[in-house]
Amino acid sequence: MPDNVLIVRRLGLREYRPLWEAMRGFTDARNDATPDELWLVEHPPVFTLGYNGKTQHLIAPGAIPVIHTDRGGQVTYHGPGQIVAYVLCDLRRRGWGVRQLVTALEQAVIALLNEHGVNADTRRDAPGVYVAGAKIAALGLRVRRGCSYHGLSLNVAMDLAPFSRINPCGYPDMPVTDLRKLGVITDMAELQQSVTTQFAQQLGYKITEVMQADEHLSACA
């Protein structure tokens, strides 16, 4: 399969841990001919803490589960109404560095927001995408065997209250926003398509859409 093919899987609402395990399994099993994939998902409420994350940034998690994961970064929140895009790319095959991938993800989100009349930017000291200083998209990646997994989350129309129970991405009092709060009301599937299109444009992919799960997702189906 050509290097510029991206298989896209829209997975609906999935528990975090089984999907994380599926990403790791996919990354360990892939070979030089395995096409890259983009998994689009929503998660039930969960806090995730990066492998170097500090528990001091968990202020009051309460009944929401906390999962210590192997991505970079500190703590973030995932919940319904948020698009999570997991990026499973062979960086060595395409000659990319991690910084190039991070920049492409950030620029894909910025372009998507611009389509909806929202001006967004990045910060040198904190990866992600911001609108008037409030974080609307978070990034966290892991690279193993030259291949990436984990990815980004974009706040669309969600309960933002759980972000007040953490220091988002390790920054006390960081404001967080979503598209609904900014006055943008749109369909989730439409936004998932926009994320896919913008990411493909940033990195020169041809898109192949696959709606159903297959063998490497059977554990979390």
Side-chain angles (χ1 to χ4, degrees):
M1 189 172 287
D3 287 352
N4 68 339
V5 169
L6 179 68
I7 294 177
V8 180
R9 305 189 190 277
R10 298 190 184 193
L11 304 175
L13 185 68
R14 303 282 183 127
E15 292 287 344
Y16 180 85
R17 188 180 294 277
L19 202 63
W20 169 32
E21 292 171 353
M23 282 191 290
R24 294 176 63 182
F26 173 83
T27 301
D28 288 343
R30 66 182 302 168
N31 57 43
D32 291 342
T34 304
D36 293 340
E37 300 202 3
L38 180 68
W39 297 359
L40 300 172
V41 65
E42 291 179 71
H43 290 306
V46 63
F47 294 116
T48 67
L49 191 66
Y51 63 89
N52 285 325
K54 299 177 180 178
T55 55
Q56 70 195 50
H57 296 305
L58 288 161
I59 300 170
I64 297 176
V66 177
I67 295 180
H68 294 252
T69 185
D70 62 348
R71 62 164 174 78
Q74 293 288 330
V75 64
T76 195
Y77 170 70
H78 298 306
Q82 179 188 67
I83 292 176
V84 183
Y86 291 125
V87 184
L88 300 115
C89 294
D90 188 331
L91 301 179
R92 291 181 301 187
R93 182 173 63 199
R94 296 187 63 88
W96 301 338
V98 175
R99 183 66 253 178
Q100 182 179 354
L101 180 58
V102 168
T103 298
L105 292 171
E106 291 173 334
Q107 292 304 313
V109 173
I110 288 172
L112 180 155
L113 295 175
N114 285 342
E115 289 179 352
H116 294 277
V118 176
N119 293 321
D121 54 22
T122 59
R123 282 176 50 169
R124 284 184 173 273
D125 61 330
V129 178
Y130 301 81
V131 177
K135 194 159 199 170
I136 194 168
L139 277 82
L141 294 167
R142 177 66 185 262
V143 175
R144 191 158 75 184
R145 301 173 60 240
C147 298
S148 69
Y149 58 106
H150 295 290
L152 68 87
S153 58
L154 171 64
N155 304 336
V156 179
M158 60 188 305
D159 177 8
L160 296 173
F163 284 104
S164 67
R165 296 157 71 174
I166 60 173
N167 292 328
C169 302
Y171 288 84
D173 302 318
M174 174 177 282
V176 177
T177 192
D178 65 7
L179 281 170
R180 180 172 59 189
K181 191 173 180 179
L182 296 171
V184 178
I185 308 299
T186 188
D187 179 71
M188 202 71 157
E190 176 187 331
L191 277 177
Q192 287 185 338
Q193 184 58 48
S194 295
V195 168
T196 300
T197 300
Q198 292 295 344
F199 178 62
Q201 288 177 355
Q202 288 292 328
L203 289 174
Y205 280 115
K206 175 182 177 181
I207 301 167
T208 299
E209 188 87 28
V210 178
M211 300 300 293
Q212 76 281 3
D214 65 9
E215 66 278 359
H216 59 265
L217 292 172
S218 60
C220 57

